[in-house]
Amino acid sequence: MTTETVKKQRWKLNLRDRFQDMPKPARIAAMVVFVVLLYLLPTKAFYENLGFPIPMGSGYLPLYTTGSDMAGVLFQCGYYILLALGLNVVLGYAGLLDLGFFGFFAVGAYTVALLTSPESKLITEYNWLESPWPWLLTVPIAIALAMLSGVLLGWPTLRLRGDYLAIVTLGFAEIIRIVAKNQDWILNGDRGIPSVGHPPGTWPDGEPIFELEFTPYYWLVLTVIIGVIFLIRNLANSRVGRAWVAIREDEDAAELMGVPTFKFKLWAFAIGAAIGGLSGSLWAGQANFVNSATFSLENSILVLAAVLLGGAGSIGGAILGGFLVIYLPEWLRSVGDVFGWPTQVQVGNIHIDVSPTSLRFVIFGALLIVVMIYRPQGLWPNRRRAAELKDRQKEVAPVE
Amino acid sequence: MSERKALLEVDNVTLRFGGVVALNQVDFTLYEGEILGLIGPNGAGKTTCFNAMTGVYLPTEGQIRFKGEQVSGKKRNQITKMGMARTFQNIRLFPEMTALENVLVGTDAHNTTSVPTALLRLPKHWREERQSKARALELLSFVGITGRSDDLARNLSYGDQRRLEIARALATNPSLLCLDEPAAGFNPAEKVALLELIKKIRDSGVTVLLIEHDMRLVMGVTDRIVVLEFGRKIAEGTPEEVRDNPKVVAAYLGVPDAA
Amino acid sequence: MNFDDLIQGFPDLTTTGLAQGSIYALVALGYTLVYGVLRLINFAHSEVFMFGTFAALWTWGLMGYDSNSARPDLGTALLLVLVSLVVASLFSGGVAMVVEAVAYRPLRKRNAPPLVFLISAIGASFVLAELMGAFTERRQQGIPGLLPGEPLFSAGGWTVYPLQLATVVVALAVMFALDWFVSKTRFGRGIRAVAQDADTAALMGVNKGRVIALVFLLGGLLAGVAAVFYSMKQGNTRFNVGFLMGLKAFSAAVLGGIGNLRGALVGGLLLGLVESYGAALFGSNWTNVIAFVVLLVLLMFRPTGLLGESLGRARA
Ligand SMILES: Nc1ncnc2c1ncn2[C@@H]1O[C@H](COP(=O)(O)OP(=O)(O)O)[C@@H](O)[C@H]1O
Ligand SMILES: [Mg+2]
């Protein structure tokens, strides 16, 4: 390792330390300012001024997404961040590789859709419901059902070895998707469920807040994320969090020290699933339409990439990762527009879609490999992994 | 001595791994308040005996009773809660947790905070955190690693790691502490300090079962000794009796067993 | 449940099951070989298989046969199959070796923990599938009919098609060849040595890196063979066909005892039969669910499989 990289690492760590060393009121003030900026982010006057000058083309490279509505991208980032936070509990804290995580998102979304849509078969065919329920009432039900499915999936599988658990959860989610796609009984297969309900609330002029405009949805998801972060931190800094990390570090030793490992692994699954379900219900509240195509395998892997890219076991990492997997391809597309990157290339008579948003699965699949090889602790590792990095440098230093 | 209360009864336990008989009708009793040494050459079955006691393996035959209750078939964490705690021959701390957190995992064995309580930060959570933390710090200084409580376990020196394992085991509030070669890799001075610590633990009211294959080491500290060889108990008695037992001498000198 | 279908169709269901099962067995061998030496589930193996189906498709395309062509005569058909077997195996074998070199070898050098390997493998699997998806516009591609469509043999409600016979015969032949290779040749001894105890094998002068590359190559070759027969049976392929095949072949490997070569054969055939009978019993919509249920039940009650784990100990 060169001294230069060591210096760079040290600088990064110092930044973190420096923030930690600030007096508490200053830290809180900085956080408040930051959060306010986050709420302002979808405001055009604000984000249009974010960017940097470049020596060619239009002369200015924006940081917002020119190809699609910035608020829409931010909302999407939001529910992916929630998903990443949920998977981070399962994978990052408890060390369980759950590859079917997006399934819980589906459970949440379908629950909301079935209960809030006037065209839901629960109303039109089975008469289980008189009329559609309000969105807000269905969210707790969606969370509860997602949790329940987490427990049902975890109960038989959590006794398995790590790699088997990965395959079984992956297979489970895919089988559920196939079943949802092929049956007409209630989820309506590919045709799906339209007219899903929206969150409540009206502007002073009587117009509903949650309609087509993305910004309010972004505010909503941002608020939910902040709440979820507090709750997860409560868990992480408690007996529960310690049990999770102990299980991740050495499951046998943990059990021999009195940790009820199965119970806490099941809890990790349930908590992760609940957050996944919450994310799904927020998404459904905006999407208007839910069908089986949304819940493809690719999305599960994207969430996995988000958690690992950011840094497993770190809340900041999950947020960064969830943001990057959505924002980065969108932004690259804007950059591509500036530099004239084609959306398609033709090879023989085959048209290959090369827009960054279509290639994002390839990009993030490849990034998974690269990150695992070169930076397995992720971009924003948790305090401990960062410390480990520091130690390794110390260990390496004298050899130079 | 005979009127002392039996804490742990290992009753004719046999344990096989495929063809290997790791324990062969091993039979001994541990009384409250004593320090019992479990000695024998490498591969004699000492660690396997611990594993059978703590629920890692199920004995093929025989019974293990702790405080009069059958142990086999119970979950490992339940056995720990009943009051049996152990350390490992190859240190098995939680390397990415701090020293304090390692000990806290031990104290958590008797805490009952679960997800709802922690999520809502109910008073029970705070109470248990406060009590556990105080107890954990106390234990860290009891075993002699004050001032390093916020260091990651993996960064502690070898000796401190061994001591931290003892602190973590003590944190589960055991009536029986099982130490698997706690002095392995120690220099003579460290060994002496460790023996003092073990006596201190016993004096605090904890019964100790000590595995060690260095016989001289156990002589000074144990009340009684059980000797294993090839999975069999070949001797039992006070340190003096065991030391003078020809079978034990033979086992330790590598002379083929006459019996 | 439909017992009549099961009883009446029993001979045919058995043939179908055996043919499908031999394909599973071929792919399962890839999982088992890699697991045997690396103790690692090669997640990307499903994509190695998927690339084989496209290699076959393109080979036939280059030779002038696509899904619109008329069926060729038997001689031409056999030639086409033979060429595609060679090309697809080499292609899949090459892809498998690339996966090993890119996604696994650097991690092995870094002595990474198992979870990291698994994630890297998932990344590789994903990249391969998505690349093929981008390249084929995510469309399903038709496979030409090659072998004669008339039954080879039909008597008393039992019908055997040429493709079924060819599948079983070739699969068995390939597996016997593998068995011989692993148990009798010097390379095979190296594989078994690494499977038994990698460190000791290295001390004894076995080149571990080369053995691992060889194992990936072998798995890829077998997956290529499977891909050819799968394509002809299915009549089409798509960038995501690897997923279900991977899940099923992995189930087959676990069923027989992962790491055990003969176990993969037994597991594959058994899974094929169970699926075939199950489809008759519960309806073909449930075919894909059956394999998964088998896997789940198995992992819960006998995770070491029917013949037990270990490539080292199993003599073949
Ligand atoms: N999990 C296991 N599987 C097979 N054999 C084992 C296992 N654990 C221990 N053994 C065998 O049991 C015997 C006793 O081992 P152990 O209890 O570790 O000895 P000690 O702690 O006295 O040195 C040894 O022969 C060892 O190889
Ligand atoms: Mg031992």
Side-chain angles (χ1 to χ4, degrees):
Chain A
M1 195 174 288
T2 67
T3 41
E4 201 163 303
T5 52
V6 171
K7 229 181 257 165
K8 231 174 27 208
Q9 299 281 15
R10 199 165 291 154
W11 178 80
K12 258 190 230 161
L13 291 165
N14 278 349
L15 202 65
R16 186 196 292 257
D17 291 344
R18 240 182 274 166
F19 182 75
Q20 298 288 330
D21 290 345
M22 286 193 323
K24 198 165 182 188
R27 278 206 317 259
I28 292 175
M31 289 304 282
V32 168
V33 170
F34 182 65
V35 168
V36 168
L37 288 181
L38 285 179
Y39 275 96
L40 289 178
L41 206 50
T43 316
K44 204 161 184 191
F46 178 56
Y47 67 68
E48 271 192 344
N49 290 309
L50 297 176
F52 40 85
I54 45 165
M56 52 161 90
S58 59
Y60 176 75
L61 189 61
L63 274 178
Y64 69 96
T65 53
T66 52
S68 34
D69 180 12
M70 182 69 174
V73 174
L74 287 173
F75 172 63
Q76 205 186 348
C77 287
Y79 66 78
Y80 264 87
I81 286 174
L82 268 184
L83 282 164
L85 284 170
L87 184 60
N88 183 49
V89 169
V90 184
L91 174 63
Y93 290 147
L96 305 164
L97 188 48
D98 176 6
L99 294 181
F101 192 70
F102 215 77
F104 304 123
F105 181 89
V107 172
Y110 265 123
T111 307
V112 167
L114 279 173
L115 293 175
T116 63
S117 163
E119 292 174 52
S120 152
K121 284 197 172 175
L122 293 186
I123 295 171
T124 57
E125 270 193 52
Y126 300 101
N127 292 320
W128 288 359
L129 301 180
E130 288 277 299
S131 57
W133 287 15
W135 178 85
L136 200 57
L137 204 59
T138 64
V139 175
I141 300 175
I143 294 175
L145 281 182
M147 238 172 143
L148 182 68
S149 43
V151 171
L152 288 181
L153 176 60
W155 196 269
T157 55
L158 281 175
R159 296 165 214 270
L160 298 175
R161 242 166 43 191
D163 43 2
Y164 284 4
L165 177 70
I167 290 222
V168 170
T169 49
L170 180 68
F172 183 78
E174 186 63 6
I175 297 297
I176 293 290
R177 191 186 67 79
I178 293 173
V179 172
K181 183 177 157 74
N182 292 338
Q183 59 84 29
D184 265 351
W185 172 64
I186 188 164
L187 303 181
N188 222 8
D190 264 350
R191 269 163 298 135
I193 304 164
S195 319
V196 181
H198 296 301
T202 50
W203 296 112
D205 64 3
E207 287 291 308
I209 299 175
F210 294 96
E211 272 284 291
L212 297 173
E213 184 61 36
F214 273 112
T215 310
Y217 292 103
Y218 166 72
W219 288 333
L220 176 65
V221 78
L222 181 59
T223 312
V224 170
I225 289 172
I226 292 172
V228 165
I229 290 173
F230 273 103
L231 292 178
I232 292 180
R233 283 175 53 117
N234 280 356
L235 288 178
N237 302 321
S238 77
R239 175 173 183 246
V240 180
R242 282 193 296 270
W244 283 338
V245 177
I247 290 168
R248 183 189 77 200
E249 299 279 290
D250 188 336
E251 190 171 340
D252 290 329
E255 195 166 15
L256 285 166
M257 288 306 129
V259 178
T261 49
F262 183 70
K263 173 180 154 186
F264 279 116
K265 287 201 287 185
L266 208 54
W267 264 120
F269 245 54
I271 299 284
I275 300 173
L278 172 62
S279 176
S281 57
L282 286 170
W283 170 77
Q286 188 277 323
N288 217 17
F289 173 71
V290 176
N291 78 349
S292 63
T294 327
F295 312 120
S296 63
L297 176 68
E298 281 90 342
N299 294 318
S300 274
I301 306 288
L302 213 54
V303 180
L304 179 73
V307 171
L308 294 165
L309 218 57
S314 130
I315 291 179
I319 296 169
L320 180 66
F323 175 75
L324 282 182
V325 293
I326 300 303
Y327 169 79
L328 206 60
E330 287 290 350
W331 180 69
L332 284 176
R333 195 165 66 159
S334 326
V335 177
D337 291 344
V338 173
F339 291 103
W341 176 268
T343 54
Q344 273 195 348
V345 292
Q346 197 170 350
V347 181
N349 50 7
I350 302 168
H351 300 275
I352 302 174
D353 188 344
V354 292
S355 76
T357 39
S358 310
L359 286 182
R360 69 171 173 215
F361 296 121
V362 179
I363 298 170
F364 286 110
L367 266 180
L368 267 185
I369 304 177
V370 173
V371 166
M372 284 304 108
I373 295 175
Y374 295 104
R375 202 179 159 83
Q377 76 276 29
L379 298 174
W380 186 342
N382 69 8
R383 176 173 54 84
R384 290 170 191 146
R385 302 280 163 89
E388 186 187 349
L389 199 70
K390 215 178 188 174
D391 301 333
R392 283 213 183 135
Q393 281 160 15
K394 274 190 211 143
E395 282 159 25
V396 167
V399 185
E400 290 183 356
Chain B
M1 184 141 112
S2 57
E3 64 217 71
R4 277 203 283 172
K5 237 173 101 192
L7 184 62
L8 177 86
E9 296 153 88
V10 176
D11 185 359
N12 268 311
V13 167
T14 298
L15 205 151
R16 290 192 201 94
F17 296 109
V20 182
V21 187
L23 294 177
N24 195 345
Q25 302 196 329
V26 173
D27 193 80
F28 65 88
T29 304
L30 185 60
Y31 296 97
E32 260 174 27
E34 70 175 341
I35 300 180
L36 180 75
L38 184 60
I39 68 170
N42 261 324
K46 305 180 297 288
T47 301
T48 306
C49 188
F50 266 28
N51 283 337
M53 283 160 46
T54 50
V56 176
Y57 299 133
L58 209 61
T60 322
E61 287 161 32
Q63 276 195 357
I64 298 172
R65 280 184 304 276
F66 181 61
K67 295 180 175 169
E69 249 187 275
Q70 169 117 17
V71 157
S72 328
K74 280 210 159 57
K75 281 195 196 135
R76 299 167 194 183
N77 56 306
Q78 284 173 337
I79 296 175
T80 308
K81 252 178 109 168
M82 283 169 68
M84 199 183 326
R86 68 175 288 179
T87 64
F88 300 87
Q89 185 173 351
N90 312 305
I91 300 174
R92 288 180 77 170
L93 290 164
F94 307 117
E96 303 261 312
M97 295 175 103
T98 64
L100 181 67
E101 284 169 330
N102 266 278
V103 183
L104 284 173
V105 171
T107 57
D108 279 340
H110 293 283
N111 287 343
T112 53
T113 293
S114 186
V115 171
T117 314
L119 207 57
L120 304 173
R121 298 265 132 146
L122 297 181
K124 185 166 87 179
H125 162 82
W126 293 115
R127 192 177 61 238
E128 287 188 352
E129 286 292 300
R130 201 176 51 242
Q131 287 168 355
S132 300
K133 201 169 166 193
R135 172 87 180 124
L137 288 171
E138 197 181 294
L139 281 169
L140 282 174
S141 79
F142 178 77
V143 300
I145 25 179
T146 26
R148 305 218 55 187
S149 58
D150 287 334
D151 288 6
L152 294 188
R154 54 192 294 282
N155 293 341
L156 296 182
S157 70
Y158 177 80
D160 282 354
Q161 290 193 5
R162 284 240 174 255
R163 276 185 277 275
L164 178 56
E165 253 204 338
I166 296 176
R168 184 179 68 174
L170 284 174
T172 65
N173 215 358
S175 13
L176 170 61
L177 177 67
C178 308
L179 301 170
D180 196 344
E181 304 205 12
F186 275 16
N187 64 33
E190 286 173 323
K191 281 185 181 176
V192 170
L194 182 80
L195 293 185
E196 286 312 308
L197 178 62
I198 293 176
K199 281 185 190 153
K200 231 166 72 181
I201 292 171
R202 192 260 313 268
D203 294 343
S204 74
V206 179
T207 310
V208 178
L209 179 56
L210 172 67
I211 286 188
E212 187 48 64
H213 72 256
D214 178 355
M215 222 170 91
R216 267 165 308 173
L217 189 77
V218 278
M219 290 295 156
V221 65
T222 49
D223 300 316
R224 286 189 309 128
I225 292 177
V226 169
V227 189
L228 292 184
E229 191 195 15
F230 297 125
R232 278 175 188 281
K233 183 177 89 176
I234 56 168
E236 179 176 359
T238 63
E240 292 73 29
E241 286 164 5
V242 165
R243 188 185 51 203
D244 299 334
N245 187 320
K247 279 195 208 166
V248 178
V249 176
Y252 269 85
L253 296 178
V255 180
D257 196 338
Chain C
M1 284 204 271
N2 194 335
F3 284 102
D4 281 354
D5 277 7
L6 178 63
I7 292 160
Q8 276 169 17
F10 195 79
D12 282 352
L13 291 172
T14 307
T15 329
T16 319
L18 287 177
Q20 191 68 16
S22 356
I23 296 176
Y24 294 155
L26 285 172
V27 183
L29 279 167
Y31 286 106
T32 266
L33 278 166
V34 170
Y35 188 88
V37 296
L38 286 182
R39 299 284 177 276
L40 162 82
I41 299 171
N42 178 13
F43 242 87
H45 190 58
S46 48
E47 269 37 75
V48 168
F49 162 84
M50 178 272 291
F51 268 64
T53 65
F54 280 95
L57 174 76
W58 295 330
T59 310
W60 293 323
L62 287 176
M63 293 169 79
Y65 283 86
D66 62 25
S67 50
N68 300 321
S69 319
R71 256 176 222 277
D73 60 72
L74 186 62
T76 319
L78 288 179
L79 179 71
L80 284 166
V81 172
L82 209 62
V83 174
S84 68
L85 278 176
V86 173
V87 176
S89 326
L90 290 178
F91 194 64
S92 286
V95 173
M97 289 179 80
V98 169
V99 167
E100 195 270 324
V102 173
Y104 296 119
R105 201 177 301 162
L107 293 177
R108 232 175 39 239
K109 289 209 181 109
R110 275 154 220 261
N111 218 355
L115 194 67
V116 166
F117 271 93
L118 205 59
I119 290 162
S120 174
I122 292 165
S125 162
F126 206 52
V127 170
L128 290 173
E130 293 296 328
L131 273 180
M132 186 57 87
F135 194 67
T136 57
E137 303 172 44
R138 303 188 149 245
R139 278 211 290 259
Q140 182 165 302
Q141 321 254 326
I143 301 275
L146 297 175
L147 292 173
E150 309 78 50
L152 191 67
F153 162 94
S154 184
W158 184 36
T159 318
V160 178
Y161 291 92
L163 179 59
Q164 293 175 329
L165 184 70
T167 308
V168 175
V169 168
V170 174
L172 286 179
V174 168
M175 282 187 268
F176 278 117
L178 178 76
D179 204 313
W180 171 83
F181 183 83
V182 172
S183 57
K184 292 279 150 45
T185 64
R186 197 165 60 83
F187 296 113
R189 268 202 298 282
I191 293 177
R192 281 181 297 146
V194 174
Q196 233 153 20
D197 184 345
D199 295 330
T200 312
L203 287 178
M204 309 292 272
V206 177
N207 182 337
K208 191 177 163 195
R210 203 180 312 153
V211 164
I212 289 168
L214 176 68
V215 158
F216 273 82
L217 173 67
L218 285 175
L221 294 175
L222 297 170
V225 174
V228 170
F229 289 105
Y230 169 89
S231 313
M232 289 196 288
K233 161 88 199 312
Q234 214 65 24
N236 57 57
T237 185
R238 198 164 177 237
F239 75 100
N240 61 4
V241 293
F243 181 81
L244 272 179
M245 174 55 81
L247 193 63
K248 290 180 187 181
F250 175 74
S251 307
V254 174
L255 189 60
I258 193 156
N260 180 328
L261 292 188
R262 288 178 188 167
L265 173 64
V266 174
L269 294 180
L270 210 57
L271 185 65
L273 288 174
V274 168
E275 237 184 49
S276 179
Y277 300 146
L281 212 52
F282 304 104
S284 55
N285 277 346
W286 296 99
T287 316
N288 294 331
V289 181
I290 291 168
F292 181 69
V293 171
V294 167
L295 175 66
L296 199 62
V297 170
L298 197 71
L299 286 179
M300 285 171 62
F301 295 108
R302 194 176 158 79
T304 50
L306 298 177
L307 302 193
E309 290 190 11
S310 166
L311 184 69
R313 253 179 297 140
R315 264 207 36 265

